[in-house]
Amino acid sequence: MKKITKDRKVPSGNFRKKCFFIMRLTLFFLITSTLSLLASGSYSQNTRVSLNLKSVSVKDALKAIENSSEFFFIYNNELIDVNRKVDITVKDQKISDILSKIFDAKDVEITVVDRKIILAPTSMGEQQQGKKVSGKVTDSKGSSLPGVSVILKGTTTGVMTDNNGSYSLSNVFENAILQFSFVGMESQEILVSGKAILNVTLTEETVGLAEVMVVGYGTIKKRDVSTSISSVSSEELKNRPLTNFAMGISGLMPGVVVQNTNSAPGGGQTITIRGVSSLNASNSPLYVVDGFAMPDGFNYLESPINSISPSDIESIEVLKDASSSAIYGTRAANGVILITTKKGKSGKPKINFSYSTGVQSSLDKVKMLSGKDFLQYMGESRDNAYILQDPNNGNDNPNAALWSRTDPTNVRIANWDKSPTSDGFHQMYLANSLFNRWISLTDTLSHSPYNTDWQNVLLRHGKIRDYQISLNGGTENVKYYMSGGYYKNDGLDQVSGYERFSLRTNLEANVTKWLKVGLTLNPTLENTSVLANSTSSNSTTNPFLATLGLPPTLSPYLSNGTPDPFDVSINSPWGWNFYGNENPLLSIKRQDKRKTIKVFSALNAEVKFMKDLIWKTDLQSQYQRWDRSYFSPSIIPQAGLGYTSPSQSAGTAQGNDRLYTSLTSVLTYMKTFKSHSLTAMVGMSVESTAYSSFGITKYDFPTDVLTTLNQAITIKSQTDVTTNKSSESMMGTFGRLMYNYSSKYYLTASVRRDASSKFGSNNRWGVFPSLSAAWRISDEKFFKPLRFIANDVKLRGGWGIVGNAGISNYLFSPSLSASTYLMGANGATASFVNSGMPNANLSWETSKESGIGADFQFLNNRIGFTIDYYYRLTDNMLYNLPLLSITGFSGTMTNIGSMRNRGFEYQLNTRNLTGEFKWSTNFNLSYNRSLVLSLSGLPTDNIIAGNNRTAVGKPLDVMYGGLFLGPYKNWEDVKTSPIMGSTTATWKTRSNPGDPKFADINGDGIIDASDQTVLGRTDPDYIFGIGNTFEYKGFDLTIHFNGWVGGLINAQNMTGLFTLGNGTQNVSQDYFDNYWRPDNTNAKYAMPSRKSFAGNIASGMAVFSATRYTIDNFVFGYTFGNKLLNKAHLGSLRMYLNIQNLYQWKVYPGYNVENTTSSASATSSQGSNTGSYPTPRTVSFGINLGL
Amino acid sequence: MKKIIFVLIMSVCLFGCEKILTRFPEDQLTSDNFYTSLADYNKGLTGCYKTLQAIYNDNDITAYGEDMSDDTREPGFAAWSDPFKMFLKTNSNSISGIWSNDYRMIYNCNAFLDVLTKYSPKNAVETAEVKAMEGEAHFLRALAYFNLVRFYGDVPMVTKTFATPSDSYGLGRTLVAKIYSDVIIPDINLAVAQCYQKGAAPLKGQEARATSGAALYFLSKAYLQQGDYTNAQTALKKLIEDKQGGTFSLMTTYADVFDVNKKYNAESILEAGFSIASGQPSNFYAHIGVDIATVMNVRNIVTNTIMGSCNLLSDFTASGEKDRFVATVDSGKVSYAVPPLQPFRQKFAPKYADYVKYLNTKTDYNYMIARYADALLMYAECLWKAGNNAGALQYINQVRTRAKMPALSANTTIDIDLILHERRMELTFEGQRYFDLVRTGRAIAVISKFLRTKVGTDSPPANNPDIAPEQLLLPIPVSEIQKDPTLVQNPGY
């Protein structure tokens, strides 16, 4: 049994004690279940052993003792001679007596600790036997290297070099080996050979850090990567205290776009790699954690990756191109994100404790109108409505006199009454009608004592607390990492919240020389409280939109202190005046709680047949249970009932569970001979997932206090109670060959054959090959003259095909949907109809990607630069083809057309200052351009869905709508412009100055829906990130800056708030300051009006540039030095201040500029913003403590 | 040794089997293997009928059929005074529900007929049942086409299911006359021959199934819609005098026809079934508006899809038919109204309804698609057209007296206006008025006049021009034209 532990920070000390300490701890954590703490030293005193052995080796004798007792031995067979033959015949003797017969006390020191017996050479305990060795460690330039770890090989004994690079180790044997290691330097092992002085020169590692990178089903030296992979190491993650996983890669990798689709606590993100390429199949990358594929990608409302505590993450790699991801076959079409969690490292157990606490506030409050301005706006919007009604007094004469804005109320009413096109607002003529309020600001509104800031009513400061404790360590044969965490985030509103309890155990054990097993357990519990409707696009119920739209002249409370339900019934003066926004104080009474339990467990075994041939099998299961309980109390007034009545209380219980199991088996052969290095791998994988779900909705709860469904009375519809079940499976076989010649020429080829149960037997299997090559040109002779500038240059190229099967199950199969119908007196009986048009030929969506790239290291690794270009062609796009109604169905999933994405990615890392004051910068920039090449299979050449359009020859999913040209400036402008709407062809119904003016795209003189046009792309022109890190004497400062340039965002449901006031809700200050007025005809925005504009096509009126620049991460930290730590007996200590989303500059006026409705099926939802959860700014303080 | 065992154990893992890739829905049946017994086919047929719930829902046929007539108006539209205005902008306002639901029923019937041919009856009873099922599927298909041609004119003719989406493109529109002659009339004739009669033993408990009586009713209606009074009269004679479709009769009390406890009564010819308890409540009631609220200067809550017009009410009052109004339309007080007295629809509406309760739960009322009183009035019309004034009066009076109206005297001169008036009063809000106006050629005149006439507080512009003839048809849903450009839009849209 050999013990090799590397630990730079091990202070020299008594070896034996150290040894015992480690063993105890190790054993304590590993086998507490079998070796209870009850055991005491009495075992060795009381136990008697009998043996009768003739001419056996010491080793066998010890084994015999182990077999006949509970003792076990710990020794190093290089130090203890166990091959010596002995004879032992004892009967019922104490263990100490037996051992004294086997070993000479002069040679071997025996220590018995309970059932453990440690055999050590006596000499080790004796100071005078070893010699003192000392020396100095320098770098290649001769400068001394402080902090180099010097370890006696095979032990945990070691020291660090001091400030002069000197070290001194006592008690070193003649034939001992010293290991010298230092970050960034090649490690060295030197035989002492009895020398007393050993001076060592360490050389720098040739390419940066000799980091190992994770690739599909294996690892590779970072230096040897021949494909496009971006990675974030634990070192970089350290400077980014994460609230969620996506933060860990946001802005750090070119080509990777992270969008916080829902910034609510526990909310989800959308991650797209190298552009969106699928119309209706998944656009989410594949997540692989420690080699285990996760069954799902990102959910845009709740993140499935949330269950991994960010502090457990060691590194993140993103396989961006097909040549690296094709090994994952059908699930890799959108790239692969590999997450590696922390593993145990042999050596002294390390306990790390981290704690952080922070406050959150909304990054932006939207500047809406307050009191006086609001009244002015209301007055103007009513004036405008009056003017709009009939500007020409019914004459079809463009020059007829207008009704005047100065007309008093009675004139207005009289005028309106005369108007022949009064649009049926006949009620307004009646006695007690609210008509006059509608056209003039005469009601109690103007006397309102309130000036409510509704955003303050709903928003509050959020809170974050994060506790994490982890333990790692191990022996050479058993390594462990264990962690437990608790994270809690109270959101920015009074309801939202998220908490997570997580545990993780990563265990690795070398069972025998040829067998290694590993175990991972990761149970998590997440509780999420959601502000109901906060992600809804419905501007009436979404509380965030309500806070923007509610008039400041209203009070949130009734005089009795309860929330005002804004009774807009007939007799309320507000009824005719305001938009039906719900009081947010009532909205928060809805309960929407979710609970997710996830248990991830994996077992793997690795068999080493020979030195070079390893067979690894992974077995994993992931169980996930998601529950939701929702309750909507009756106190919230119901729209449609005149808001006078309480609403019908409703409760929903929902749950689904998923069991994912997979088996992966990989055989790897690695051989290096001379300059040839070869890695061959073959493997197979089988995955299967079973889903089940239920949902119940009941109505009419006797009170709003008890919300469990047993209380409710009514079930309304057959579909109110459901359970469902489904399952899917996948299977794949794959192989890969990696070859390199003296790290100069690289060639990698892989192929995977995959099948998915989502396709019918006709098209189940797909083959996904890949090829990549690289050339380290800098190692060529002819490059030598340039090497002083560029010390390492590698050219890469790759090609690959990947598949996409991210669609629903069973679409190939004809199925019946069950229901019931009332066929007569017998009541409801079962009914069946075909539920869809099956497509037996359904098959993969395939992406062929070619890419080239180059990696440069300049000026002795001070500057690193990477450039990539890719071209990805997506074929057989999975698309839910809208069917003609005559087929009986609305759509069927089909493979149609093709598109391409191509782009450049640049990454630059520089170490600007390397002395005591260190400064490093990383910069990345990328852009992607998509183009739809064909939509063959569709009868038309474009798809219009919502506000988006996908057409041949255009980028995917471009924004579509009316092109707003600003308001009509004056009558001259109206007369010379095309007519708005075909129904308003006569002058009397023509647009007015101040009305919104749209472009007449088809030039027919009439502006209508047929004039909708492409307004622009929804994806950015380019994205970039810049990070700077400064370090000085333990202090470190990191500032990261993130940019998204170009692209459009559509907030159509906020048109009334930001770009076209409707006189029924509040508007932004920006709109108020810039809308058309008779004295401001050259305005940016159209005038507000209580009456809607004739024939407007407002779909293009709330389109904004999505450009934003964000200082998304700021960390200022201090790491305590060793001197202080040693005094305090601490391993490490770091304190930091972190600000996430310190500042954002954006054009978009709302809370959150991100694309908030993006789902896995992207078509029609790109660039759409429905105004959900505000982006939080988080200021937190944290401490990391290592023991 | 251990190593070998371990390797062997691990090797087991390598024996993957393609079987695990074969997955079929676990919570759904597949149409390939479901239909074996006649009971299974009955469930498939029930699926065809279920589409009636979608077709006769609260805001498609039942709403637009009314809104296009002079009986109701749509309060939700600011342009209420011109019900046709709402269809002008076809991109946003075309009505696709009528189109897609009727074609859905056509698909379901076609698919059902496909599988039905695979069944061989084992005895005479089964033979009769299979024939009846076949007849009913044809009947429902004909009903769907009848709805389509009346709303849209020429429509694509689909009599089989499509194997792939591409088969469905490029069909274009088939002339109305051809739809009648190739689908509607043959389908209904098959149904007349093969369906059970009303009250037949196999229909016990399944009264919602179409009878040969229902087929005769729609046969006559289809002929009448084409102006073929002779054939219509022949069919109606078989229904009314020869009782070939079984026995139908008028209910003694008008309100009983729609009584929630008297579904499938003697007067009922075809109903779409709804029930709260089965989770299939009717939304219709919640969407019918308060009718004469405006006459009484009471503001109503504008949440309804259709609302009775003052024009209709003036017809009741002007012709002295207030008693008939009470018997057929008025349902008395409604508690939520301000003031609480407010007339409400008799049909499909519970008396003294608690509005809130029914808005939440919806109602149990079936939708009456066809009833005997309509058949009698159609027969009267045919007889009058054939010169049999006395015969016509006999049937008109049957209907009038049941509605608490005095019988017309024997020397009353019948004209088309009288017939239309009787039909309007008897069949108010039952989806007949508009098609009656169209088939009698009165639609443009009557509706245009309605759009210009001020009654009560309705104040439409007096100078509204006549509606254009093409406005009598709805535009084909634009989304369909976008999918298949061979579908040419109706003129004027």
Side-chain angles (χ1 to χ4, degrees), chain B residues 229-300:
Chain B
Y229 279 92
T230 321
N231 273 321
Q233 189 179 340
T234 312
L236 286 166
K237 181 173 177 295
K238 286 180 189 166
L239 175 70
I240 293 164
E241 292 187 18
D242 307 342
K243 305 211 177 295
Q244 282 187 15
T247 310
F248 293 89
S249 63
L250 291 181
M251 297 294 283
T252 326
T253 309
Y254 186 94
D256 284 356
V257 181
F258 303 95
D259 192 322
V260 73
N261 297 313
K262 294 175 180 151
K263 295 179 175 182
Y264 313 111
N265 53 47
E267 190 170 334
S268 159
I269 293 179
L270 190 68
E271 298 178 26
F274 292 95
S275 138
I276 298 172
S278 313
Q280 300 164 44
S282 167
N283 276 343
F284 191 54
Y285 164 82
H287 288 263
I288 305 168
V290 179
D291 37 30
I292 57 169
T294 45
V295 175
M296 300 176 68
N297 272 0
V298 176
R299 270 199 57 205
N300 63 302

Side-chain angles (χ1 to χ4, degrees), chain B residues 153-280:
Chain B
D154 304 341
V155 291
M157 188 164 84
V158 182
T159 52
K160 57 182 177 36
T161 56
F162 297 105
T164 66
S166 53
D167 297 346
S168 66
Y169 299 123
L171 293 190
R173 298 172 63 179
T174 306
L175 293 176
V176 173
K178 194 168 163 61
I179 300 276
Y180 272 116
S181 65
D182 289 12
V183 190
I184 298 176
I185 302 296
D187 270 3
I188 300 183
N189 275 326
L190 186 101
V192 170
Q194 297 193 1
C195 289
Y196 297 119
Q197 287 190 341
K198 185 174 174 91
L203 292 186
K204 191 159 168 49
Q206 297 202 45
E207 293 84 356
R209 290 172 66 176
T211 61
S212 51
L216 283 169
Y217 166 92
F218 275 103
L219 186 62
S220 63
K221 196 128 204 130
Y223 280 128
L224 218 48
Q225 200 69 31
Q226 301 174 85
D228 184 346
Y229 279 92
T230 321
N231 273 321
Q233 189 179 340
T234 312
L236 286 166
K237 181 173 177 295
K238 286 180 189 166
L239 175 70
I240 293 164
E241 292 187 18
D242 307 342
K243 305 211 177 295
Q244 282 187 15
T247 310
F248 293 89
S249 63
L250 291 181
M251 297 294 283
T252 326
T253 309
Y254 186 94
D256 284 356
V257 181
F258 303 95
D259 192 322
V260 73
N261 297 313
K262 294 175 180 151
K263 295 179 175 182
Y264 313 111
N265 53 47
E267 190 170 334
S268 159
I269 293 179
L270 190 68
E271 298 178 26
F274 292 95
S275 138
I276 298 172
S278 313
Q280 300 164 44

